[in-house]
Structure formats: structure tokens, C-alpha cells
């Protein structure tokens, strides 16, 4: 098994999980725009508005055009591909083969440190200012997590990943890895008041 990473310099690195040696496997000329796995187990690599599909050994498979410049890529098991464009502060869903791509969300910041896509079409977005947002497939913000200070602060968040059970892993710039349990928002909130006992009962559902 390998861990693949891309750098803003354009280098693509492959890290064997069975050893502590990292190998640079390719250099995409110019600033890199993200890397993600395709639905069929290969790789997508973005550079500007160009999207390259590569094998795991970086052999070329296909080339596509994006509607906007990609700054961060994310894909899901269903084969959907999303990318973040910083100038427009928007997340796009790639429409193959060559668009036009669909804008699924416009945010209030142009910073970016993490993007994750689930098979259900929801997105997790880390904005570089210490906030993580969950976004619905229709672009609505479902919840925002933003610890402002202290040991839980995410102001130096460098990367993000999500497990199959929904746990969120974040990497800070100092190398610290934090794990957060899956967040289930509260819905169906209701309250009732008992004036005799002077009590308030609050009921809610999760999901």
C-alpha cells in the first residue's frame, strides 16, 4: 500500500506504508492543483485547467479540461470528482469529458487546506482559517466546526482525510495528527415547559 501526495511545486510523491522512505515519482511542470484517486483505482492530477488521469505508476491514461483552475481535488467511490477554485471561492463538480463543470458551492473564503467528497455527494471543506464545513450536494452548509483557540485550534491545519466510518483526521503544520469522531447534526429540536414543576424538556433527533 502507498500514500500519494502532491506539493504546490508540482512534485508527486509516493510513500510506501511498509517503510519510511518517500520516493518522488513524477514532476508536473508548474504549480500543482491537487491529486485524487479515480473511481477505477487510478489517479487524477490537476495543473491549472488541465486534468491528467494517470496509472498508479504514473503512466498517462487520459487528459481532460477543467472549466476553472483547480487548487485542490477530491473524489469519491462513486467516481465523482470535485475541485476548489480559489479566485471564485467555489467548489466545482467535474463533468466529463470536458464540461462545462457544475458549481456546487460558493464559500466566503478563498483559503484551502482540505477537501473531501463522500459517495453521498456531501463535501468536507477546510478553509485554512481553522474551520471545517460540511456541505450538502446542493451547496448548503450543514455544519461548521471552528475551535478558535487552545489545544483544539485548527488554525495551522495542513491536510485532512476522512475514514469510512466518518472520523475526521487532520494534520497540523507541526506534524500533529488529530482525530475527531463523526459529527451527527441535531435535527427535529423541540421543547416543552411544565409550569407546575418549573421544568423544561428538550427533545431532538440526530441525523
Amino acid at each position: 500500500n502507498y500514500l500519494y501526495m502532491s506539493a504546490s511545486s508540482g512534485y508527486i510523491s509516493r510513500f510506501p506504508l511498509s517503510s519510511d522512505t518517500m520516493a518522488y515519482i513524477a514532476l508536473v511542470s508548474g504549480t500543482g492543483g491537487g491529486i485524487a484517486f479515480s473511481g477505477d483505482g487510478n489517479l487524477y492530477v490537476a495543473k491549472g485547467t488541465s486534468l491528467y488521469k494517470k496509472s498508479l505508476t504514473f503512466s498517462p491514461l487520459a487528459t481532460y479540461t477543467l472549466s476553472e483552475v483547480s487548487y485542490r481535488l477530491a473524489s469519491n467511490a462513486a467516481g465523482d470528482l470535485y475541485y476548489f477554485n480559489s479566485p471564485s471561492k467555489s467548489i466545482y463538480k467535474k463533468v466529463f469529458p470536458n464540461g462545462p463543470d457544475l458549481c456546487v458551492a460558493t464559500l466566503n473564503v478563498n483559503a484551502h487546506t482540505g477537501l473531501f467528497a463522500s459517495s453521498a455527494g456531501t463535501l468536507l471543506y477546510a478553509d485554512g482559517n481553522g474551520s471545517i464545513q460540511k456541505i450538502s450536494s446542493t451547496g448548503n452548509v450543514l455544519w461548521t466546526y471552528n475551535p478558535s483557540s487552545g489545544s483544539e485550534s485548527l488554525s495551522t491545519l495542513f491536510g485532512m482525510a476522512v475514514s469510512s466510518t466518518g472520523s475526521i483526521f487532520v494534520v497540523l503544520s507541526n506534524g500533529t495528527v488529530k482525530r475527531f469522531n463523526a459529527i451527527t447534526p441535531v435535527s427535529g429540536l423541540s421543547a416543552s415547559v411544565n409550569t407546575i414543576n418549573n421544568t423544561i424538556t428538550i427533545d431532538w433527533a440526530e441525523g
Side-chain angles (χ1 to χ4, degrees):
N1 293 331
Y2 295 92
L3 174 66
Y4 288 81
M5 295 181 291
S6 66
S8 59
S9 60
Y11 279 104
I12 306 297
S13 303
R14 186 172 71 176
F15 187 86
L17 299 182
S18 58
S19 72
D20 58 358
T21 303
M22 181 183 294
Y24 292 111
I25 61 172
L27 172 62
V28 180
S29 178
T31 301
I35 184 171
F37 284 97
S38 63
D40 55 4
N42 292 296
L43 292 170
Y44 286 121
V45 179
K47 172 185 171 286
T49 57
S50 296
L51 179 68
Y52 305 98
K53 187 175 183 180
K54 306 280 188 178
S55 71
L56 295 184
T57 56
F58 223 70
S59 299
L61 298 176
T63 301
Y64 305 100
T65 299
L66 302 173
S67 297
E68 303 290 340
V69 173
S70 172
Y71 288 75
R72 178 122 0 215
L73 282 180
S75 61
N76 59 27
D80 300 317
L81 184 71
Y82 298 84
Y83 62 94
F84 178 72
N85 174 259
S86 185
S88 68
K89 305 178 183 178
S90 297
I91 299 174
Y92 291 84
K93 181 178 180 180
K94 172 61 186 164
V95 177
F96 289 97
N98 289 317
D101 300 335
L102 176 65
C103 178
V104 297
T106 298
L107 310 171
N108 58 3
V109 292
N110 60 8
H112 55 93
T113 54
L115 181 64
F116 171 82
S118 75
S119 296
T122 57
L123 300 165
L124 284 180
Y125 171 75
D127 66 10
N129 296 320
S131 295
I132 297 176
Q133 294 183 329
K134 185 173 184 179
I135 303 169
S136 72
S137 58
T138 56
N140 296 317
V141 176
L142 301 177
W143 52 255
T144 299
Y145 178 66
N146 182 15
S148 58
S149 62
S151 61
E152 297 304 315
S153 173
L154 301 178
S155 61
T156 58
L157 191 150
F158 190 75
M160 177 180 66
V162 182
S163 73
S164 59
T165 59
S167 295
I168 302 171
F169 294 85
V170 298
V171 180
L172 305 183
S173 60
N174 63 1
T176 300
V177 178
K178 292 179 178 288
R179 174 181 175 177
F180 298 90
N181 292 329
I183 298 175
T184 303
V186 172
S187 63
L189 183 67
S190 64
S192 60
V193 179
N194 187 322
T195 57
I196 297 175
N197 297 325
N198 293 322
T199 59
I200 299 175
T201 301
I202 299 176
D203 294 311
W204 67 87
E206 293 185 348

